[in-house]
Amino acid sequence: RTHHETMVLCKALPLLSLIIFILPVVVLTNDEESEKKSEDKLIETLIDVISERVLSPPGIIPSVFPPASNFSTTSHCGVYLAPSTIPGAGLGMFAGKDYKKDDRVTYGDIIIPILELSWHNGDEDFFWLWDEYTWSSGVEENMEAETEKESTVNAASPGIGAALNCLLGQVNIEDTYATCDNAGLHRSKSPGAGALTPYHDRGSVASTDIEEGEELFISYGNPYFRSRSSLYGYVPLEDDFPKADQILYQFHRLHNLVLKYYSTQIAEDLIALIKTNIYTTFPSNEEDIEDEKDEEQKEDEEQKDNKEIVSKHRVFNAVPSTPEEWSAIIPYGTAKRYKSRSIRSKAWLEEHGQCMDNIKNGLSNIPHAGRGAFSSRPLKQGSIIAPAPLIHITNSSQLNMYATTYDEDEGYMVRDVTKPPIHKQLLLNYCYGHEESSILLSPYGVLVNLIN
């Protein structure tokens, strides 16, 4: 993937400067101990005035801030965004500290529904990069009711859903179940109602113990890879690793026996023999291999060398190629084949990565804004709050939504293109753009879309 990256910088707030500089003046200009009580009262009154007239001007409904005790006070980053250990995968998320199984890793983020996108675009082919980052509507049960067919609803999950990579066999993250509410906004009275997504709180927990520096992986599910075999190749799926382990352990016993009496070359030949016969041991039954082929393709394949056919077997691709690799992963199994490769040092993450957990979610103090992002630790002026790579949308018109009309010739409802669009996809409210450009930039990353 190609990522354009933007950074959100922390700017000093004049109000905080006011509090910081006014209070010391009050204290330092009154040195007499006898006036200590008056001084304390003055400070208390000043803070009350600032809170009442500046922080909460008339009309603002005070929001529920996350309790200060829940904020992380540690200066150590818990999650980083850095170049992935998977070749060609772009960016990935890494653990900045050790996590035990069931520990919370990231806080809940929003999910944005994308409704009947193909239909609103005339069921035509068009470039839509979000396809590589969207999830099914099942990530939040209420989202399935957005349209008559749940299959026409996609969930843009710009937090962990877009930033986490998947390496089946090394999945160490599970998502938390999202929820649905209006963030306290009245549906008929608040102008903010409908302008923000009601689906939120999709966070993540450790599905196994995670060590510091380890890349974080979530499962995209087998269908994701089955439908992208032409793009990623025939990568091993979740059920393929136990099968590969059977071969691995059988080889290990034979390998030790062979090395007693024969050369290393014979051991390598043994590996080649075992891998060539994987099809006999584990018939493929691969829907994504067979269903997508026409008769001409099948005839061509029958004439191909056996090695080319075997390379499309996912179990084959889970098995290492050399005796050294086979022996090295015996203690861990084939699923953990790339375990050591997926770990980076803390120093490397500090140099090449950016911290992702400087902010937490909560209800905004801005009236009608719904949710917002809050600092989880003290941040200096000019420091990076959060990295926010961008997914580009090539034409803003792709977010147009149309009314329906009955097509007598076709005999069913179609989009009414004789009239202007009646609405836009909600995703538009989470994009950046320019009035003289049709391109939209959609940021992703942990909680970055909650920054108001």
Side-chain angles (χ1 to χ4, degrees):
R1 298 180 299 204
T2 300
H3 297 272
H4 302 283
E5 189 169 353
T6 185
M7 302 175 185
V8 183
L9 298 179
C10 177
K11 297 184 179 179
L13 296 176
L15 175 60
L16 296 182
S17 301
L18 179 69
I19 296 174
I20 291 170
F21 290 112
I22 288 183
L23 297 188
V25 170
V26 176
V27 175
L28 294 177
T29 55
N30 203 339
D31 294 329
E32 298 182 16
E33 186 66 28
S34 60
E35 298 183 9
K36 185 70 170 62
K37 291 183 179 179
S38 298
E39 172 194 305
D40 291 344
K41 182 66 176 176
L42 179 59
I43 293 175
E44 184 179 328
T45 302
L46 179 60
I47 292 176
D48 287 342
V49 169
I50 292 174
S51 300
E52 181 180 353
R53 298 185 183 180
V54 182
L55 290 179
S56 299
I60 286 186
I61 302 174
S63 67
V64 181
F65 274 99
S69 60
N70 286 348
F71 280 158
S72 170
T73 57
T74 177
S75 59
H76 302 297
C77 181
V79 182
Y80 286 87
L81 184 72
S84 174
T85 60
I86 301 176
L91 299 173
M93 292 174 61
F94 293 80
K97 62 179 184 179
D98 292 338
Y99 290 94
K100 293 293 185 183
K101 186 178 185 298
D102 297 326
D103 282 352
R104 179 176 279 273
V105 179
T106 62
Y107 291 93
D109 214 333
I110 61 171
I111 308 172
I112 307 163
I114 302 174
L115 310 180
E116 300 176 314
L117 183 71
S118 179
W119 184 87
H120 286 293
N121 283 274
D123 292 319
E124 299 175 356
D125 290 334
F126 61 95
F127 179 75
W128 181 250
L129 187 57
W130 258 111
D131 265 346
E132 298 302 315
Y133 301 87
T134 52
W135 296 69
S136 71
S137 58
V139 295
E140 209 293 320
E141 61 180 356
N142 293 286
M143 194 181 296
E144 296 178 350
E146 289 277 0
T147 64
E148 293 181 358
K149 295 182 180 179
E150 62 182 69
S151 61
T152 62
V153 182
N154 290 318
S157 181
I160 62 168
L164 281 172
N165 288 318
C166 175
L167 186 60
L168 294 176
Q170 288 186 213
V171 171
N172 50 20
I173 289 291
E174 290 179 351
D175 59 334
T176 57
Y177 201 71
T179 189
C180 176
D181 62 64
N182 291 320
L185 302 184
H186 195 286
R187 289 294 298 171
S188 62
K189 296 180 180 179
S190 173
L196 54 94
T197 178
Y199 306 107
H200 68 105
D201 209 27
R202 190 190 189 199
S204 66
V205 296
S207 59
T208 185
D209 290 350
I210 302 172
E211 60 180 288
E212 179 182 282
E214 188 173 343
E215 183 164 5
L216 305 177
F217 299 114
I218 195 170
S219 176
Y220 292 173
N222 289 345
Y224 178 88
F225 292 100
R226 286 189 184 279
S227 64
R228 292 167 171 80
S229 297
S230 60
L231 181 62
Y232 298 128
Y234 295 90
V235 299
L237 304 180
E238 293 165 332
D239 296 336
D240 295 321
F241 295 107
K243 299 172 185 177
D245 286 343
Q246 290 182 39
I247 299 171
L248 178 68
Y249 299 138
Q250 290 171 11
F251 163 79
H252 185 60
R253 290 196 299 271
L254 291 172
H255 178 249
N256 291 339
L257 181 64
V258 167
L259 285 183
K260 272 188 177 182
Y261 306 103
Y262 301 101
S263 66
T264 303
Q265 180 60 50
I266 293 180
E268 293 176 353
D269 291 342
L270 179 61
I271 291 177
L273 179 64
I274 292 173
K275 295 185 75 170
T276 303
N277 285 278
I278 283 179
Y279 260 115
T280 306
T281 309
F282 299 109
S284 178
N285 293 324
E286 285 283 352
E287 297 90 338
D288 53 352
I289 295 178
E290 298 301 328
D291 292 349
E292 296 175 6
K293 298 174 185 173
D294 56 31
E295 289 303 318
E296 184 177 346
Q297 284 178 302
K298 291 179 181 179
E299 289 177 7
D300 290 343
E301 187 171 273
E302 288 174 1
Q303 299 173 13
K304 288 183 178 179
D305 183 81
N306 188 43
K307 289 183 179 180
E308 293 184 37
I309 300 174
V310 171
S311 68
K312 291 187 176 182
H313 199 297
R314 297 185 187 277
V315 176
F316 172 93
N317 292 327
V319 176
S321 301
T322 67
E324 292 76 21
E325 284 185 280
W326 283 57
S327 299
I329 64 172
I330 282 291
Y332 313 106
T334 54
K336 305 299 181 185
R337 180 180 175 185
Y338 301 111
K339 172 80 172 180
S340 60
R341 186 190 73 181
S342 66
I343 300 174
R344 296 287 190 244
S345 69
K346 191 64 176 287
W348 187 92
L349 291 174
E350 288 285 350
E351 180 180 356
H352 300 282
Q354 296 169 334
C355 188
M356 298 187 81
D357 67 348
N358 285 326
I359 50 179
K360 294 178 65 172
N361 55 345
L363 295 180
S364 176
N365 239 16
I366 302 174
H368 311 294
R371 299 177 185 86
F374 298 83
S375 60
S376 60
R377 57 177 59 92
L379 298 170
K380 292 183 179 180
Q381 179 180 356
S383 61
I384 295 174
I385 294 178
L390 301 169
I391 298 171
H392 65 284
I393 297 172
T394 56
N395 198 311
S396 58
S397 65
Q398 294 171 346
L399 301 184
N400 289 342
M401 302 180 77
Y402 295 86
T404 59
T405 184
Y406 185 75
D407 189 317
E408 294 184 356
D409 294 332
E410 298 291 344
Y412 53 79
M413 302 298 290
V414 298
R415 63 175 185 153
D416 188 356
V417 293
T418 64
K419 299 177 182 177
I422 60 171
H423 206 34
K424 298 281 188 179
Q425 296 281 355
L426 184 59
L427 183 62
L428 180 65
N429 283 1
Y430 296 91
C431 293
Y432 294 94
H434 190 278
E435 61 182 357
E436 296 180 9
S437 173
S438 62
I439 293 177
L440 296 174
L441 301 175
S442 180
Y444 74 88
V446 177
L447 301 178
V448 295
N449 284 282
L450 287 180
I451 299 177
N452 291 315

